[in-house]
Amino acid sequence: MQVKAAVFYRPHEPLAVQELELEGPRAGEVLVRIAACGVCHSDLHFIDGLVPIASPSVLGHEAAGVVEAVGAGVASVQPGDHVVLSFIPSCGRCQYCVVGRPNLCTIGNRAMSRGTMLDGTPRFAREGRPVYQMGSIGGFASYTVVPEAGCVKIREDMPLDRAALLGCGVMTGVGAVINTARVQAGSDVAVVGCGGVGLNVVQGAALAGAGRIIAIDVLAHKLELARQFGATHTVDASREDPVEAVRRISPGGVDYAFEVIGRPETVRQAFDMARRGGLTVVVGVPPAGAEVSLPAGAFLTEKTITGSAYGGARMPVDVPRLVELYMSGRLKLDELISRVYPLEGINDAFDALRRGEVARSIVTPL
Ligand code: COD
Ligand code: ZN
């Protein structure tokens, strides 16, 4: 079928909104009509040339929609079902899936980084040439095909535009707190970077019952938003040294520090904000080839640092839980959506993200 999509060809160029050919779902795959797809800074990393990606590619990895058709053997969803898409379609059989770490799935991560289905090929094409799918999704399109393992069915009264945000920002942020760090009630938390993902770290910390929640950003309106999402303290890193400020607010440092930007210097800041025995969780990924230096003496204080990929997501468990939290008024999603763009407005949406104007924008392709 013919679909409309936003296609990345090379860094530093606007995405091209154009017609593509979409092949129907093969065995184990699902055709989804995209209701909404969030605009995440990770998409922007490709456009800004910080991280390489297969070209051409349909970007967009934070999407929800409605199942239109299923391929042979698909059992977990059927036409008409509402689904949130996962950018790591876990196989359920590799060593990581078996030990309960499906976000590290060997096959899913390979497909995600290649921008293909599990068989190594994408379903979009233009003039007979393959067009890849970011995160095995390619959500900036009117329709896409995804692996069955990348679909999580949700209840139909959940608004799909809100549900889209669960596909990356909310899962990554809330999951970093609840799955990766397992933040304890009453403990102190610092969050460096309060964009679409960082705000979800803040609200994850609030959900976990953290004591002090210190939000750090360089933009006053992001700090304002962070308060809405549960921050008890804010630090403007453009005005004062954020490490000193955090250590003043939480004497000795925080129990958990999260980096949610993807820069070596802010990873170091987060590490320095953590107390003796404290945990630093790196959610952001610095540009390819970057290195982070840490003070070796800190190891004597049993400080720990870890990455968090996709918030340690176990999508079939976590997505329905997040939906219930939203439906019962305990998870903020409405407040995250700053702007809604048609597919044709996608480059404006990226410009707004680059300028730091939005928490999240969503694109509604149809
Ligand atoms: N100090 C404090 N805050 C800062 C600083 C600084 N020096 N520099 C920038 N900020 C703030 C910005 O003002 C902004 O509010 C925030 O940091 C960044 O937010 P966004 O909205 O631009 O970015 P997000 O939240 O959409 O994305 C953050 C990620 C960490 C996910 C992303 O950038 C990243 O590192 N992606 C790579 C990892 C990845 O691929 N993850 C899987 C898919 S998301
Ligand atoms: Zn993302």
Side-chain angles (χ1 to χ4, degrees):
M1 65 191 285
Q2 288 290 115
V3 301
K4 201 169 57 167
V7 187
F8 165 90
Y9 282 93
R10 51 193 78 76
H12 312 297
E13 274 183 18
L15 301 185
V17 177
Q18 50 190 208
E19 296 269 313
L20 299 181
E21 194 60 41
L22 177 63
E23 185 188 323
R26 297 187 190 172
E29 296 172 359
V30 178
L31 172 68
V32 178
R33 174 171 59 79
I34 301 292
C37 184
V39 179
C40 177
H41 209 120
S42 298
D43 299 292
L44 191 54
H45 280 349
F46 303 120
I47 299 174
D48 287 346
L50 295 174
V51 180
I53 188 172
S55 166
S57 268
V58 177
L59 299 187
H61 61 280
E62 185 179 84
V66 179
V67 173
E68 292 285 321
V70 299
V74 169
S76 61
V77 291
Q78 57 187 34
D81 283 351
H82 290 198
V83 289
V84 168
L85 304 184
S86 163
F87 61 82
I88 303 180
S90 48
C91 74
R93 288 184 296 275
C94 72
Q95 58 166 320
Y96 296 106
C97 287
V98 167
V99 300
R101 304 183 74 180
N103 58 321
L104 302 183
C105 172
T106 309
I107 291 167
N109 275 281
R110 189 168 57 210
M112 185 251 310
S113 54
R114 286 181 177 171
T116 64
M117 300 295 97
L118 300 181
D119 70 359
T121 61
R123 296 290 162 267
F124 291 119
R126 184 169 161 85
E127 291 160 1
R129 291 181 41 226
V131 176
Y132 295 90
Q133 303 174 238
M134 183 189 172
S136 306
I137 295 177
F140 295 135
S142 47
Y143 293 82
T144 190
V145 167
V146 296
E148 177 183 15
C151 284
V152 183
K153 185 177 168 180
I154 56 166
R155 50 191 270 196
E156 279 175 26
D157 54 351
M158 172 72 191
L160 280 167
D161 53 354
R162 272 73 179 148
L165 305 179
L166 304 179
C168 175
V170 180
M171 184 67 248
T172 301
V174 174
V177 174
I178 288 174
N179 294 337
T180 308
R182 297 171 190 261
V183 165
Q184 293 188 16
S187 59
D188 285 359
V189 171
V191 183
V192 187
C194 298
V197 180
L199 288 170
N200 283 294
V201 175
V202 171
Q203 81 163 326
L207 279 168
R212 297 187 185 97
I213 303 175
I214 309 168
I216 299 110
D217 205 290
V218 288
L219 298 172
H221 64 277
K222 294 294 175 77
L223 295 172
E224 200 56 49
L225 269 171
R227 285 210 180 261
Q228 268 189 52
F229 279 77
T232 59
H233 299 74
T234 56
V235 173
D236 185 337
S238 71
R239 290 168 171 266
E240 58 180 324
D241 179 337
V243 177
E244 275 174 23
V246 166
R247 297 184 79 92
R248 189 176 63 240
I249 296 164
S250 179
V254 290
D255 300 287
Y256 306 92
F258 293 83
E259 198 279 353
V260 208
I261 306 166
R263 296 166 59 133
E265 56 278 24
T266 43
V267 172
R268 173 63 189 267
Q269 286 174 357
F271 188 79
D272 290 345
M273 287 169 189
R275 70 166 72 246
R276 254 182 285 145
L279 173 63
T280 302
V281 179
V282 182
V283 179
V285 177
E291 296 193 359
V292 176
S293 79
L294 299 173
F299 297 122
L300 199 55
T301 65
E302 295 196 359
K303 287 171 82 159
T304 312
I305 183 165
T306 181
S308 177
Y310 211 173
R314 300 118 349 140
M315 292 297 273
V317 174
D318 290 322
V319 168
R321 283 184 183 173
L322 292 168
V323 167
E324 292 308 313
L325 285 170
Y326 172 77
M327 295 302 277
S328 60
R330 283 174 292 167
L331 183 76
K332 293 188 199 320
L333 298 179
D334 304 356
E335 297 81 350
L336 272 178
I337 302 179
S338 314
R339 294 183 195 165
V340 181
Y341 290 87
L343 197 56
E344 289 72 15
I346 184 107
N347 293 303
D348 297 334
F350 279 116
D351 289 341
L353 180 61
R354 202 182 276 113
R355 290 193 297 262
E357 290 172 7
V358 292
R360 257 313 188 243
S361 297
I362 54 171
V363 167
T364 50
L366 277 176

